[in-house]
Each structure stands twice: as C-alpha cells, then as structure tokens.
Amino acid sequence: MYIVCSDLEGVFVPEIWVNVSSHTGIDELKLTTRDISDYNILMHRRLELLKKYGLTLRDVQNVISLLKPLPGALEFIDWLRTKTQLIVVSDTFTEFAEPLIRQLGRPTLFCHHLTTDSEGNITDYNLRQEDAKKHVVEALQTLNYKVIAIGDSYNVICMLRKADHGILYNPPQNVADEHNDLKVIKTYLSLKRFISQIIQCEE
C-alpha cells in the first residue's frame, strides 16, 4: 500500500521567504533551500536578518496571509486523496503553516516550531527532529507502507532517496543537475500520471 509524503513550499504553495523578501525589500531573505543546502545555516541567517531589520512573527504572518496555493495544487490534492493518503512533511513552522494548510483542506502536516519573545520577535527555531523528512519515510516503511516522496529542494533529497519512489517536482536547475539520477516532473498532470502508474502496478 502506498502513501505520499510531500514537501509544502514549492510543491503546493509559494515559497514563504521569497515572498517575505519581496514585501520587505530584504534581498537576502529570498534565499531558500533551493539555494543553500544546509538548513541550519540558512535559518540562522534568516533569524539574524529578522533581528537586524526589526521584523516580528506578525510581520511574517501578514505576508503569509496573502499567499494562495499554486495554480492546480488544490485539484491535485483532491485527486490524490481519491487514490491514497497524503502527509505534508515540511521544514516550515506551525506558526507559518496554519493559513496555508487550511487552504489545502488540512492534510496532515509534520513540521517544526518557533520560539518567540514577549514582543513577538522570533528568537529561535526548534526542529521536530534532525533529518525529520527522512525519518517520516522510514517510520512509514516500518508500518509496511511504500512511500512516494515529492519535493523540489536540497532539503528533501534524503527523503526522496529513502522513499520507494522519489520525485523532484519542478526543481531549480541547480538541484536537478546535482541529483540527475532522481526523476524530475514539472506539472501536476504529469505527477498524476506517474503516481497512477505506480499505484496501478501495485494493485
């Protein structure tokens, strides 16, 4: 029996930090796990920039409130739920994800959480666990599920390689080039076809 584990940003919704960068004019905030493979380095730099420019959790949440699912994402999720179960496995934070997950029909979400002070400043980030995406796949496999994993950035590579079928969905060229042994799919229609083939072979 198959279950799908998918990243959130870049697959179903726009990149949060890219939009924060656009709204604030802080160019360096546009860097994501599509650009920097070490998530901890990336997050420490983000927190430094938020502190430098006086941006609070509320400021980031105000940008997130403007975001909508990527065109075709809801239709794809609705289709996928007629075939199998979906777990969204993301390196975002519960404090960011709520309005986005709500718009997607509340699929199960595994992610991290933030620490804030009394004034709403983001002072730290707390990983649910190291290599969390990979561990989700491993846990499901111990329950005798086969896993189809979907993602677009450096931070999903371990998950994709651990899954029974790993898919780079519409990745940037640098990620695709460095991991050219992984299957690359660029549209929801092609994703539907590929997943349908996998599930049909199992039946």
Side-chain angles (χ1 to χ4, degrees):
M1 183 175 181
Y2 277 99
I3 194 163
V4 172
C5 291
S6 178
D7 202 357
L8 178 63
E9 296 172 62
V11 179
F12 297 135
V13 301
E15 294 283 350
I16 290 171
W17 291 100
V18 171
N19 280 274
V20 173
S21 174
S22 296
H23 280 79
T24 61
I26 304 170
D27 192 58
E28 195 174 349
L29 279 176
K30 72 181 179 183
L31 297 175
T32 71
T33 51
R34 289 174 160 229
D35 308 295
I36 298 175
S37 59
D38 191 313
Y39 182 74
N40 288 302
I41 289 175
L42 180 62
M43 276 306 304
H44 281 300
R45 183 56 182 152
R46 286 168 171 169
L47 294 187
E48 289 172 0
L49 290 167
L50 294 181
K51 182 177 180 179
K52 177 180 178 180
Y53 291 97
L55 297 177
T56 66
L57 173 60
R58 177 57 60 190
D59 294 320
V60 178
Q61 289 175 327
N62 286 342
V63 174
I64 295 170
S65 70
L66 303 175
L67 301 182
K68 302 295 181 184
L70 294 172
L74 287 174
E75 292 81 358
F76 173 76
I77 290 173
D78 288 344
W79 171 86
L80 186 61
R81 283 172 161 164
T82 69
K83 303 296 181 182
T84 189
Q85 300 297 310
L86 168 66
I87 298 175
V88 176
V89 187
S90 175
D91 278 329
T92 192
F93 306 94
T94 55
E95 295 84 357
F96 290 175
E98 166 58 26
L100 302 173
I101 289 298
R102 183 172 64 247
Q103 291 182 74
L104 296 175
R106 292 197 179 281
T108 298
L109 171 68
F110 294 158
C111 65
H112 311 303
H113 72 277
L114 296 167
T115 298
T116 58
D117 64 18
S118 59
E119 297 180 348
N121 298 300
I122 302 172
T123 58
D124 203 357
Y125 66 99
N126 310 281
L127 299 183
R128 187 174 55 80
Q129 65 182 147
E130 293 288 343
D131 295 324
K133 295 179 180 182
K134 176 184 175 183
H135 288 311
V136 169
V137 172
E138 289 175 333
L140 290 169
Q141 289 170 333
T142 66
L143 297 173
N144 291 327
Y145 282 101
K146 292 182 179 179
V147 179
I148 301 168
I150 306 167
D152 71 321
S153 304
Y154 286 118
N155 64 331
V156 300
I157 298 300
C158 286
M159 177 174 78
L160 301 189
R161 294 199 182 284
K162 185 61 183 176
D164 298 274
H165 298 275
I167 302 164
L168 274 172
Y169 180 72
N170 203 22
Q173 196 60 50
N174 57 306
V175 176
D177 287 345
E178 291 181 37
H179 302 280
N180 56 19
D181 58 311
L182 291 171
K183 185 168 186 65
V184 173
I185 293 179
K186 295 187 176 182
T187 68
Y188 291 122
L189 179 58
S190 297
L191 202 53
K192 285 181 182 180
R193 289 171 177 166
F194 186 66
I195 292 172
S196 291
Q197 291 171 359
I198 294 171
I199 293 174
Q200 287 171 4
C201 288
E202 178 76 4
E203 294 174 347

